[in-house]
Amino acid sequence: MNILILGPGAVGSLWATKFQLAGHHVSLWGRTSESELSLQLDDAPLTTYSNQSISSLQEADLILITVKAWQVESAIEPLLPHINADTIVMLMHNGMGTAEWLESKLSDNPIVIATTTHGAYKPTKQHVLHTGHGYTQVGGFNAKGAKCEFLQDVMNHALPSVNWNPNIHSALWTKLAINCAINPLTAIHQCKNGDLAAEQYSSLLEAITHELVEVMNKEAIVTDFDTLHRTIMQVVNATAANYSSMRQDVFHKRRTEIDFITGYLLQAAKKHQINTPENAKLYQCLKQIEQSWTEQ
Ligand code: KPL
């Protein structure tokens, strides 16, 4: 397939190199205007990809968007006139709320959403490390996207394991809930994910989870407190030694994904008239942290 990766950060570069090694024709669309970019996955050979090539964009069978949620609009807007109506457009980022906008702009295209637990890290511009083996769930966002089940095999061949999930909405909500619980707290306290297993966070994590369950149930997501709490604590333990992406963003004073994680939850809570004071406090705290950088 002709695959274009929009946003070759750590996760985008991981998929770019894996698709290339699986035999696909891969091109990149990064922020720099260089016509070529090179990437090396772990110890594999360095490979060169075309960058910002309009013809590659026009000929793409699949555009995989791996920019952060808050960058989706500005990254895709200038490319819209060049995207073929047959091109499958796939979103892969933390948080929710961008697919609706994408569909309003590309209503004729198949739109697919993916969520992944693979860990990747780019110590340099060219080098990408696959730091944690995870899995990926993919599903259709619109009617045309729902017919793209074949992508499971394509992606599984490149970077297993991949599951086609006809109920991707539910998977995205579960990932959102995990991120609502782990990311703001680790960012505020500048701690590792595993530190949240300490006694000092247990009642707060429980309160956050109760709020999440109430909103998710109203959104028709089947879950309960014990199930969601267990899932969150499993991720806390499985990624104990990691810093969350939001902790890293705050550490480096980069804009966080809070609007598309806790912000999305708060919007849904408001729609259903549910009180979510603990999540609201975390949201306010993150916004204050971000605000403090612009005041410096
Ligand atoms: O998705 C994550 C993130 O850091 O954004 C978790 C699951 C919390 C792992 O760190």
Side-chain angles (χ1 to χ4, degrees), residues 94 175 178-179 182-183 193 235 239 242-246:
N94 272 343
K175 180 76 196 306
I178 293 166
N179 288 135
I182 298 177
N183 293 26
N193 294 356
V235 177
T239 63
N242 295 6
Y243 285 117
S244 77
S245 53
M246 199 174 285

Side-chain angles (χ1 to χ4, degrees), residues 31-210:
R31 267 188 303 225
T32 65
S33 56
E34 292 154 85
S35 61
E36 289 184 335
L37 293 175
S38 299
L39 292 174
Q40 179 189 18
L41 171 66
D42 297 323
D43 299 329
L46 191 71
T47 306
T48 300
Y49 302 82
S50 69
N51 180 50
Q52 294 200 355
S53 153
I54 295 282
S55 60
S56 297
L57 177 60
Q58 288 164 336
E59 286 156 23
D61 301 306
L62 170 68
I63 298 176
L64 172 56
I65 306 176
T66 50
V67 295
K68 300 250 182 188
W70 59 267
Q71 295 168 320
V72 169
E73 286 194 28
S74 61
I76 202 99
E77 192 93 62
L79 313 190
L80 289 173
H82 309 288
I83 298 177
N84 195 300
D86 293 331
T87 303
I88 302 166
V89 184
M90 182 186 290
L91 286 165
M92 189 186 280
H93 57 65
N94 272 343
M96 289 172 78
T98 58
E100 292 77 4
W101 175 84
L102 194 66
E103 221 220 343
S104 74
K105 297 288 174 185
L106 292 169
S107 52
D108 288 337
N109 290 71
I111 297 180
V112 170
I113 315 189
T115 172
T116 188
T117 60
H118 282 283
Y121 173 60
K122 263 182 113 172
T124 66
K125 196 179 155 203
Q126 294 194 336
H127 201 186
V128 54
L129 302 175
H130 189 188
T131 50
H133 216 93
Y135 64 95
T136 304
Q137 296 190 69
V138 192
F141 179 74
N142 58 5
K144 284 188 183 170
K147 293 185 187 149
C148 296
E149 195 172 345
F150 74 96
L151 286 173
Q152 172 176 304
D153 289 343
V154 173
M155 294 174 75
N156 220 354
H157 182 228
L159 179 52
S161 62
V162 179
N163 282 317
W164 182 261
N165 187 341
N167 193 3
I168 193 70
H169 191 64
S170 176
L172 293 173
W173 259 104
T174 303
K175 180 76 196 306
L176 187 98
I178 293 166
N179 288 135
C180 282
I182 298 177
N183 293 26
L185 272 179
T186 51
I188 292 164
H189 297 280
Q190 286 294 295
C191 64
K192 290 191 170 166
N193 294 356
D195 295 336
L196 298 186
E199 180 63 29
Q200 72 177 103
Y201 296 109
S202 69
S203 58
L204 182 51
L205 273 174
E206 283 175 23
I208 292 167
T209 309
H210 276 297

